[in-house]
Amino acid sequence: MIQTYEISGMTCNSCVKHVHQALEAISGINEVRVDLSRGEARIGMNSHVKTEKLQKALDQAGNYTISELHSPIIAETVSLSEDIQVNNYKRLFPLFLIFAYLILGVGLSQFVAGEWNSQTAMKHFMGGFFLVFSFFKLLDIKGFAYAFAGYDPIAKRWLGYAFVYPFIELSLGIAYLGGANLFLTNIITLVIIGIGTVGVSQALLRKNEIQCACLGTVFNLPMTKVTLTENSLMIIMALLMLSTLP
C-alpha cells in the first residue's frame, strides 16, 4: 500500500535526505519519496506502519513532525515509483510545451528562409532555449539559486554561482542568436551544461524527489530523466556545432 504524509520542519535538501534515510530504515517500508516543495512524503509499505513509529524514527533524524495526510489510496499491485512517475510527467507539461514552441519557432524560421540549414537551426534553438530559460530563472532569482544549489556541484560550494548562472544563460542566448564567436559560445555551453548534468545525474541516482530549477521556481518541476535528456540534447548540439565550424 501507499500512504501520503505531511512532513513539517523540512527547509532544505539536506532535510529531505535525513527524512528519507530515517523513514527508509523502518521495517516494513519498501520505498520512500520525499517532496520538499509540498512538504510531503509518499511511503510504500508492505503492511501498515503506525504514524507513532514513523515519528519516533524522525525524532532521531531531526526536528521533524509527520502526520497522516491521506488514507491508503493505491493498491499493492501499483508501485509507488509508477504512480509518482505519472504525476511527474504531468508536472513536466510546461517544459514539454516550451520545447514544442522552440521547435515550432525554428521550423518557421527555416521555412521562411526557404532552405533547411542544420547549423542555423541548432543555433536558433539553443539561442531561444537559453533566453527562455534565463527569463524564468530571473523571475525569482533567489528561489532559483537555492533550488539550484541543491544539486549543482559548483552552486553547492559557492552560492554566488547560482545567482550568476541566469545571466550566463542570457548571454549565451544572445550570443547564439547573434552568431557571436560560436566556438567560445559552444565551449562555455559544454562546460556549464556538462557540470549541471553531473549534478542532475547524482540527484537521480539518490532517488530523492527534489525540484528541478531549470525553469526557476515558477513551475514546480520534478527532477526526472527528462531533465537529463534535456541537458544531453544541448551537449550533443553544442558538439555538432563545434564539429561543423570552419
Side-chain angles (χ1 to χ4, degrees), residues 193-226:
I193 298 295
I195 293 171
T197 301
V198 172
V200 170
S201 300
Q202 291 174 340
L204 291 174
L205 288 173
R206 287 194 298 268
K207 296 183 179 180
N208 286 350
E209 186 175 346
I210 61 175
Q211 182 180 12
C212 174
C214 57
L215 287 179
T217 58
V218 177
F219 302 105
N220 181 21
L221 301 181
M223 183 70 71
T224 68
K225 292 179 182 179
V226 173

PDB file of all heavy atoms in Angstrom, residues 193-226:
ATOM      1  N   ILE A 193      26.722  23.211 -19.007  1.00  0.00           N
ATOM      2  CA  ILE A 193      25.716  22.155 -19.108  1.00  0.00           C
ATOM      3  C   ILE A 193      26.300  20.820 -18.656  1.00  0.00           C
ATOM      4  O   ILE A 193      25.623  20.004 -18.023  1.00  0.00           O
ATOM      5  CB  ILE A 193      25.168  22.034 -20.538  1.00  0.00           C
ATOM      6  CG1 ILE A 193      24.483  23.337 -20.962  1.00  0.00           C
ATOM      7  CG2 ILE A 193      24.170  20.882 -20.635  1.00  0.00           C
ATOM      8  CD1 ILE A 193      23.243  23.675 -20.162  1.00  0.00           C
ATOM      9  N   GLY A 194      27.575  20.603 -18.970  1.00  0.00           N
ATOM     10  CA  GLY A 194      28.236  19.363 -18.549  1.00  0.00           C
ATOM     11  C   GLY A 194      28.299  19.252 -17.034  1.00  0.00           C
ATOM     12  O   GLY A 194      28.005  18.191 -16.463  1.00  0.00           O
ATOM     13  N   ILE A 195      28.664  20.349 -16.368  1.00  0.00           N
ATOM     14  CA  ILE A 195      28.720  20.348 -14.903  1.00  0.00           C
ATOM     15  C   ILE A 195      27.318  20.135 -14.332  1.00  0.00           C
ATOM     16  O   ILE A 195      27.123  19.355 -13.391  1.00  0.00           O
ATOM     17  CB  ILE A 195      29.313  21.678 -14.389  1.00  0.00           C
ATOM     18  CG1 ILE A 195      30.790  21.778 -14.788  1.00  0.00           C
ATOM     19  CG2 ILE A 195      29.158  21.784 -12.873  1.00  0.00           C
ATOM     20  CD1 ILE A 195      31.405  23.128 -14.512  1.00  0.00           C
ATOM     21  N   GLY A 196      26.337  20.807 -14.921  1.00  0.00           N
ATOM     22  CA  GLY A 196      24.966  20.645 -14.466  1.00  0.00           C
ATOM     23  C   GLY A 196      24.465  19.219 -14.629  1.00  0.00           C
ATOM     24  O   GLY A 196      23.718  18.705 -13.787  1.00  0.00           O
ATOM     25  N   THR A 197      24.894  18.574 -15.712  1.00  0.00           N
ATOM     26  CA  THR A 197      24.473  17.192 -15.973  1.00  0.00           C
ATOM     27  C   THR A 197      25.010  16.245 -14.911  1.00  0.00           C
ATOM     28  O   THR A 197      24.337  15.286 -14.518  1.00  0.00           O
ATOM     29  CB  THR A 197      24.956  16.751 -17.373  1.00  0.00           C
ATOM     30  OG1 THR A 197      24.398  17.638 -18.355  1.00  0.00           O
ATOM     31  CG2 THR A 197      24.509  15.329 -17.679  1.00  0.00           C
ATOM     32  N   VAL A 198      26.218  16.508 -14.440  1.00  0.00           N
ATOM     33  CA  VAL A 198      26.785  15.700 -13.360  1.00  0.00           C
ATOM     34  C   VAL A 198      25.902  15.808 -12.119  1.00  0.00           C
ATOM     35  O   VAL A 198      25.573  14.804 -11.474  1.00  0.00           O
ATOM     36  CB  VAL A 198      28.224  16.160 -13.024  1.00  0.00           C
ATOM     37  CG1 VAL A 198      28.729  15.454 -11.766  1.00  0.00           C
ATOM     38  CG2 VAL A 198      29.150  15.876 -14.198  1.00  0.00           C
ATOM     39  N   GLY A 199      25.487  17.042 -11.790  1.00  0.00           N
ATOM     40  CA  GLY A 199      24.629  17.243 -10.628  1.00  0.00           C
ATOM     41  C   GLY A 199      23.272  16.572 -10.782  1.00  0.00           C
ATOM     42  O   GLY A 199      22.755  15.967  -9.837  1.00  0.00           O
ATOM     43  N   VAL A 200      22.692  16.676 -11.976  1.00  0.00           N
ATOM     44  CA  VAL A 200      21.396  16.044 -12.241  1.00  0.00           C
ATOM     45  C   VAL A 200      21.514  14.527 -12.103  1.00  0.00           C
ATOM     46  O   VAL A 200      20.654  13.873 -11.501  1.00  0.00           O
ATOM     47  CB  VAL A 200      20.889  16.417 -13.647  1.00  0.00           C
ATOM     48  CG1 VAL A 200      19.670  15.578 -14.024  1.00  0.00           C
ATOM     49  CG2 VAL A 200      20.538  17.899 -13.711  1.00  0.00           C
ATOM     50  N   SER A 201      22.581  13.956 -12.663  1.00  0.00           N
ATOM     51  CA  SER A 201      22.791  12.507 -12.599  1.00  0.00           C
ATOM     52  C   SER A 201      22.918  12.036 -11.154  1.00  0.00           C
ATOM     53  O   SER A 201      22.345  11.003 -10.773  1.00  0.00           O
ATOM     54  CB  SER A 201      24.047  12.122 -13.383  1.00  0.00           C
ATOM     55  OG  SER A 201      23.936  12.491 -14.741  1.00  0.00           O
ATOM     56  N   GLN A 202      23.642  12.792 -10.344  1.00  0.00           N
ATOM     57  CA  GLN A 202      23.816  12.422  -8.937  1.00  0.00           C
ATOM     58  C   GLN A 202      22.476  12.487  -8.199  1.00  0.00           C
ATOM     59  O   GLN A 202      22.178  11.622  -7.366  1.00  0.00           O
ATOM     60  CB  GLN A 202      24.837  13.348  -8.275  1.00  0.00           C
ATOM     61  CG  GLN A 202      26.260  13.137  -8.774  1.00  0.00           C
ATOM     62  CD  GLN A 202      27.231  14.157  -8.225  1.00  0.00           C
ATOM     63  OE1 GLN A 202      26.833  15.238  -7.765  1.00  0.00           O
ATOM     64  NE2 GLN A 202      28.516  13.838  -8.256  1.00  0.00           N
ATOM     65  N   ALA A 203      21.677  13.509  -8.507  1.00  0.00           N
ATOM     66  CA  ALA A 203      20.366  13.653  -7.864  1.00  0.00           C
ATOM     67  C   ALA A 203      19.445  12.494  -8.226  1.00  0.00           C
ATOM     68  O   ALA A 203      18.713  11.968  -7.388  1.00  0.00           O
ATOM     69  CB  ALA A 203      19.726  14.979  -8.259  1.00  0.00           C
ATOM     70  N   LEU A 204      19.498  12.082  -9.486  1.00  0.00           N
ATOM     71  CA  LEU A 204      18.664  10.966  -9.925  1.00  0.00           C
ATOM     72  C   LEU A 204      19.108   9.653  -9.297  1.00  0.00           C
ATOM     73  O   LEU A 204      18.276   8.804  -8.946  1.00  0.00           O
ATOM     74  CB  LEU A 204      18.704  10.849 -11.453  1.00  0.00           C
ATOM     75  CG  LEU A 204      18.021  11.980 -12.233  1.00  0.00           C
ATOM     76  CD1 LEU A 204      18.255  11.812 -13.729  1.00  0.00           C
ATOM     77  CD2 LEU A 204      16.521  12.008 -11.939  1.00  0.00           C
ATOM     78  N   LEU A 205      20.407   9.474  -9.125  1.00  0.00           N
ATOM     79  CA  LEU A 205      20.916   8.252  -8.509  1.00  0.00           C
ATOM     80  C   LEU A 205      20.522   8.155  -7.038  1.00  0.00           C
ATOM     81  O   LEU A 205      20.308   7.063  -6.516  1.00  0.00           O
ATOM     82  CB  LEU A 205      22.443   8.195  -8.644  1.00  0.00           C
ATOM     83  CG  LEU A 205      22.981   7.913 -10.053  1.00  0.00           C
ATOM     84  CD1 LEU A 205      24.499   8.046 -10.087  1.00  0.00           C
ATOM     85  CD2 LEU A 205      22.568   6.513 -10.508  1.00  0.00           C
ATOM     86  N   ARG A 206      20.408   9.324  -6.378  1.00  0.00           N
ATOM     87  CA  ARG A 206      19.998   9.317  -4.965  1.00  0.00           C
ATOM     88  C   ARG A 206      18.520   9.004  -4.811  1.00  0.00           C
ATOM     89  O   ARG A 206      18.063   8.639  -3.725  1.00  0.00           O
ATOM     90  CB  ARG A 206      20.306  10.682  -4.324  1.00  0.00           C
ATOM     91  CG  ARG A 206      21.789  10.926  -4.071  1.00  0.00           C
ATOM     92  CD  ARG A 206      21.985  12.098  -3.141  1.00  0.00           C
ATOM     93  NE  ARG A 206      21.470  13.335  -3.707  1.00  0.00           N
ATOM     94  CZ  ARG A 206      22.201  14.196  -4.419  1.00  0.00           C
ATOM     95  NH1 ARG A 206      23.473  13.930  -4.650  1.00  0.00           N
ATOM     96  NH2 ARG A 206      21.664  15.296  -4.893  1.00  0.00           N
ATOM     97  N   LYS A 207      17.764   9.182  -5.888  1.00  0.00           N
ATOM     98  CA  LYS A 207      16.336   8.863  -5.931  1.00  0.00           C
ATOM     99  C   LYS A 207      15.494   9.689  -4.960  1.00  0.00           C
ATOM    100  O   LYS A 207      14.386   9.297  -4.599  1.00  0.00           O
ATOM    101  CB  LYS A 207      16.094   7.369  -5.674  1.00  0.00           C
ATOM    102  CG  LYS A 207      16.686   6.467  -6.744  1.00  0.00           C
ATOM    103  CD  LYS A 207      16.367   5.017  -6.488  1.00  0.00           C
ATOM    104  CE  LYS A 207      16.942   4.124  -7.585  1.00  0.00           C
ATOM    105  NZ  LYS A 207      16.635   2.696  -7.352  1.00  0.00           N
ATOM    106  N   ASN A 208      16.002  10.839  -4.533  1.00  0.00           N
ATOM    107  CA  ASN A 208      15.195  11.746  -3.724  1.00  0.00           C
ATOM    108  C   ASN A 208      14.444  12.677  -4.653  1.00  0.00           C
ATOM    109  O   ASN A 208      15.025  13.209  -5.609  1.00  0.00           O
ATOM    110  CB  ASN A 208      16.074  12.576  -2.785  1.00  0.00           C
ATOM    111  CG  ASN A 208      16.596  11.764  -1.626  1.00  0.00           C
ATOM    112  OD1 ASN A 208      16.170  10.638  -1.420  1.00  0.00           O
ATOM    113  ND2 ASN A 208      17.510  12.325  -0.860  1.00  0.00           N
ATOM    114  N   GLU A 209      13.161  12.876  -4.397  1.00  0.00           N
ATOM    115  CA  GLU A 209      12.384  13.760  -5.261  1.00  0.00           C
ATOM    116  C   GLU A 209      12.674  15.208  -4.886  1.00  0.00           C
ATOM    117  O   GLU A 209      12.286  15.686  -3.809  1.00  0.00           O
ATOM    118  CB  GLU A 209      10.887  13.483  -5.131  1.00  0.00           C
ATOM    119  CG  GLU A 209      10.075  14.298  -6.143  1.00  0.00           C
ATOM    120  CD  GLU A 209       8.604  13.941  -6.118  1.00  0.00           C
ATOM    121  OE1 GLU A 209       8.252  12.910  -5.540  1.00  0.00           O
ATOM    122  OE2 GLU A 209       7.825  14.721  -6.684  1.00  0.00           O
ATOM    123  N   ILE A 210      13.388  15.926  -5.739  1.00  0.00           N
ATOM    124  CA  ILE A 210      13.712  17.328  -5.493  1.00  0.00           C
ATOM    125  C   ILE A 210      13.249  18.156  -6.677  1.00  0.00           C
ATOM    126  O   ILE A 210      12.926  17.638  -7.743  1.00  0.00           O
ATOM    127  CB  ILE A 210      15.230  17.533  -5.280  1.00  0.00           C
ATOM    128  CG1 ILE A 210      16.010  17.101  -6.534  1.00  0.00           C
ATOM    129  CG2 ILE A 210      15.712  16.776  -4.061  1.00  0.00           C
ATOM    130  CD1 ILE A 210      17.494  17.397  -6.438  1.00  0.00           C
ATOM    131  N   GLN A 211      13.216  19.451  -6.468  1.00  0.00           N
ATOM    132  CA  GLN A 211      12.746  20.353  -7.516  1.00  0.00           C
ATOM    133  C   GLN A 211      13.839  20.594  -8.541  1.00  0.00           C
ATOM    134  O   GLN A 211      14.987  20.856  -8.201  1.00  0.00           O
ATOM    135  CB  GLN A 211      12.294  21.676  -6.907  1.00  0.00           C
ATOM    136  CG  GLN A 211      11.733  22.658  -7.929  1.00  0.00           C
ATOM    137  CD  GLN A 211      11.287  23.953  -7.273  1.00  0.00           C
ATOM    138  OE1 GLN A 211      11.582  24.216  -6.122  1.00  0.00           O
ATOM    139  NE2 GLN A 211      10.572  24.771  -8.020  1.00  0.00           N
ATOM    140  N   CYS A 212      13.474  20.515  -9.809  1.00  0.00           N
ATOM    141  CA  CYS A 212      14.395  20.882 -10.884  1.00  0.00           C
ATOM    142  C   CYS A 212      14.293  22.389 -11.080  1.00  0.00           C
ATOM    143  O   CYS A 212      13.194  22.936 -11.213  1.00  0.00           O
ATOM    144  CB  CYS A 212      14.016  20.156 -12.174  1.00  0.00           C
ATOM    145  SG  CYS A 212      14.999  20.677 -13.604  1.00  0.00           S
ATOM    146  N   ALA A 213      15.440  23.061 -11.101  1.00  0.00           N
ATOM    147  CA  ALA A 213      15.446  24.523 -11.177  1.00  0.00           C
ATOM    148  C   ALA A 213      15.610  25.037 -12.601  1.00  0.00           C
ATOM    149  O   ALA A 213      15.880  26.221 -12.796  1.00  0.00           O
ATOM    150  CB  ALA A 213      16.562  25.080 -10.293  1.00  0.00           C
ATOM    151  N   CYS A 214      15.441  24.178 -13.604  1.00  0.00           N
ATOM    152  CA  CYS A 214      15.685  24.611 -14.987  1.00  0.00           C
ATOM    153  C   CYS A 214      14.758  25.738 -15.418  1.00  0.00           C
ATOM    154  O   CYS A 214      15.122  26.574 -16.232  1.00  0.00           O
ATOM    155  CB  CYS A 214      15.584  23.429 -15.946  1.00  0.00           C
ATOM    156  SG  CYS A 214      14.013  22.552 -15.901  1.00  0.00           S
ATOM    157  N   LEU A 215      13.531  25.776 -14.884  1.00  0.00           N
ATOM    158  CA  LEU A 215      12.602  26.882 -15.142  1.00  0.00           C
ATOM    159  C   LEU A 215      12.387  27.704 -13.880  1.00  0.00           C
ATOM    160  O   LEU A 215      11.318  28.274 -13.665  1.00  0.00           O
ATOM    161  CB  LEU A 215      11.261  26.348 -15.662  1.00  0.00           C
ATOM    162  CG  LEU A 215      11.265  25.816 -17.096  1.00  0.00           C
ATOM    163  CD1 LEU A 215       9.892  25.291 -17.477  1.00  0.00           C
ATOM    164  CD2 LEU A 215      11.721  26.883 -18.084  1.00  0.00           C
ATOM    165  N   GLY A 216      13.406  27.784 -13.055  1.00  0.00           N
ATOM    166  CA  GLY A 216      13.307  28.555 -11.832  1.00  0.00           C
ATOM    167  C   GLY A 216      12.295  27.954 -10.880  1.00  0.00           C
ATOM    168  O   GLY A 216      12.131  26.742 -10.799  1.00  0.00           O
ATOM    169  N   THR A 217      11.595  28.824 -10.151  1.00  0.00           N
ATOM    170  CA  THR A 217      10.602  28.362  -9.182  1.00  0.00           C
ATOM    171  C   THR A 217       9.177  28.665  -9.638  1.00  0.00           C
ATOM    172  O   THR A 217       8.233  28.452  -8.882  1.00  0.00           O
ATOM    173  CB  THR A 217      10.843  29.037  -7.814  1.00  0.00           C
ATOM    174  OG1 THR A 217      10.790  30.465  -7.972  1.00  0.00           O
ATOM    175  CG2 THR A 217      12.200  28.646  -7.256  1.00  0.00           C
ATOM    176  N   VAL A 218       9.037  29.165 -10.860  1.00  0.00           N
ATOM    177  CA  VAL A 218       7.706  29.490 -11.381  1.00  0.00           C
ATOM    178  C   VAL A 218       6.866  28.223 -11.491  1.00  0.00           C
ATOM    179  O   VAL A 218       5.673  28.208 -11.173  1.00  0.00           O
ATOM    180  CB  VAL A 218       7.808  30.186 -12.749  1.00  0.00           C
ATOM    181  CG1 VAL A 218       6.418  30.465 -13.315  1.00  0.00           C
ATOM    182  CG2 VAL A 218       8.580  31.492 -12.621  1.00  0.00           C
ATOM    183  N   PHE A 219       7.510  27.155 -11.958  1.00  0.00           N
ATOM    184  CA  PHE A 219       6.842  25.857 -12.071  1.00  0.00           C
ATOM    185  C   PHE A 219       7.535  24.870 -11.141  1.00  0.00           C
ATOM    186  O   PHE A 219       8.758  24.852 -11.043  1.00  0.00           O
ATOM    187  CB  PHE A 219       6.916  25.332 -13.512  1.00  0.00           C
ATOM    188  CG  PHE A 219       6.309  26.249 -14.530  1.00  0.00           C
ATOM    189  CD1 PHE A 219       7.115  27.006 -15.364  1.00  0.00           C
ATOM    190  CD2 PHE A 219       4.932  26.368 -14.642  1.00  0.00           C
ATOM    191  CE1 PHE A 219       6.570  27.858 -16.297  1.00  0.00           C
ATOM    192  CE2 PHE A 219       4.368  27.220 -15.584  1.00  0.00           C
ATOM    193  CZ  PHE A 219       5.192  27.969 -16.414  1.00  0.00           C
ATOM    194  N   ASN A 220       6.742  24.068 -10.474  1.00  0.00           N
ATOM    195  CA  ASN A 220       7.285  23.057  -9.570  1.00  0.00           C
ATOM    196  C   ASN A 220       7.625  21.806 -10.372  1.00  0.00           C
ATOM    197  O   ASN A 220       6.882  20.825 -10.393  1.00  0.00           O
ATOM    198  CB  ASN A 220       6.271  22.733  -8.466  1.00  0.00           C
ATOM    199  CG  ASN A 220       6.804  21.702  -7.486  1.00  0.00           C
ATOM    200  OD1 ASN A 220       8.006  21.500  -7.359  1.00  0.00           O
ATOM    201  ND2 ASN A 220       5.900  21.025  -6.807  1.00  0.00           N
ATOM    202  N   LEU A 221       8.756  21.862 -11.056  1.00  0.00           N
ATOM    203  CA  LEU A 221       9.162  20.744 -11.906  1.00  0.00           C
ATOM    204  C   LEU A 221       9.967  19.731 -11.113  1.00  0.00           C
ATOM    205  O   LEU A 221      10.898  20.101 -10.387  1.00  0.00           O
ATOM    206  CB  LEU A 221      10.014  21.251 -13.080  1.00  0.00           C
ATOM    207  CG  LEU A 221       9.382  22.279 -14.015  1.00  0.00           C
ATOM    208  CD1 LEU A 221      10.361  22.642 -15.112  1.00  0.00           C
ATOM    209  CD2 LEU A 221       8.095  21.760 -14.609  1.00  0.00           C
ATOM    210  N   PRO A 222       9.661  18.455 -11.238  1.00  0.00           N
ATOM    211  CA  PRO A 222      10.432  17.429 -10.536  1.00  0.00           C
ATOM    212  C   PRO A 222      11.716  17.106 -11.293  1.00  0.00           C
ATOM    213  O   PRO A 222      11.805  17.302 -12.509  1.00  0.00           O
ATOM    214  CB  PRO A 222       9.489  16.229 -10.545  1.00  0.00           C
ATOM    215  CG  PRO A 222       8.713  16.388 -11.822  1.00  0.00           C
ATOM    216  CD  PRO A 222       8.533  17.881 -11.996  1.00  0.00           C
ATOM    217  N   MET A 223      12.707  16.638 -10.569  1.00  0.00           N
ATOM    218  CA  MET A 223      13.934  16.178 -11.203  1.00  0.00           C
ATOM    219  C   MET A 223      13.699  14.772 -11.746  1.00  0.00           C
ATOM    220  O   MET A 223      13.472  13.834 -10.983  1.00  0.00           O
ATOM    221  CB  MET A 223      15.079  16.164 -10.187  1.00  0.00           C
ATOM    222  CG  MET A 223      16.416  15.760 -10.785  1.00  0.00           C
ATOM    223  SD  MET A 223      17.065  17.026 -11.901  1.00  0.00           S
ATOM    224  CE  MET A 223      17.496  18.298 -10.720  1.00  0.00           C
ATOM    225  N   THR A 224      13.709  14.621 -13.064  1.00  0.00           N
ATOM    226  CA  THR A 224      13.481  13.320 -13.686  1.00  0.00           C
ATOM    227  C   THR A 224      14.510  13.095 -14.795  1.00  0.00           C
ATOM    228  O   THR A 224      15.359  13.948 -15.056  1.00  0.00           O
ATOM    229  CB  THR A 224      12.068  13.234 -14.305  1.00  0.00           C
ATOM    230  OG1 THR A 224      12.001  14.127 -15.431  1.00  0.00           O
ATOM    231  CG2 THR A 224      10.991  13.612 -13.293  1.00  0.00           C
ATOM    232  N   LYS A 225      14.380  11.944 -15.456  1.00  0.00           N
ATOM    233  CA  LYS A 225      15.258  11.636 -16.579  1.00  0.00           C
ATOM    234  C   LYS A 225      15.049  12.597 -17.739  1.00  0.00           C
ATOM    235  O   LYS A 225      15.918  12.736 -18.610  1.00  0.00           O
ATOM    236  CB  LYS A 225      15.020  10.203 -17.042  1.00  0.00           C
ATOM    237  CG  LYS A 225      15.473   9.152 -16.029  1.00  0.00           C
ATOM    238  CD  LYS A 225      15.200   7.745 -16.514  1.00  0.00           C
ATOM    239  CE  LYS A 225      15.619   6.703 -15.477  1.00  0.00           C
ATOM    240  NZ  LYS A 225      15.323   5.328 -15.929  1.00  0.00           N
ATOM    241  N   VAL A 226      13.884  13.278 -17.775  1.00  0.00           N
ATOM    242  CA  VAL A 226      13.635  14.272 -18.816  1.00  0.00           C
ATOM    243  C   VAL A 226      14.650  15.408 -18.700  1.00  0.00           C
ATOM    244  O   VAL A 226      15.143  15.929 -19.698  1.00  0.00           O
ATOM    245  CB  VAL A 226      12.191  14.817 -18.716  1.00  0.00           C
ATOM    246  CG1 VAL A 226      11.982  15.971 -19.695  1.00  0.00           C
ATOM    247  CG2 VAL A 226      11.185  13.709 -18.995  1.00  0.00           C
TER     248      VAL A 226
END
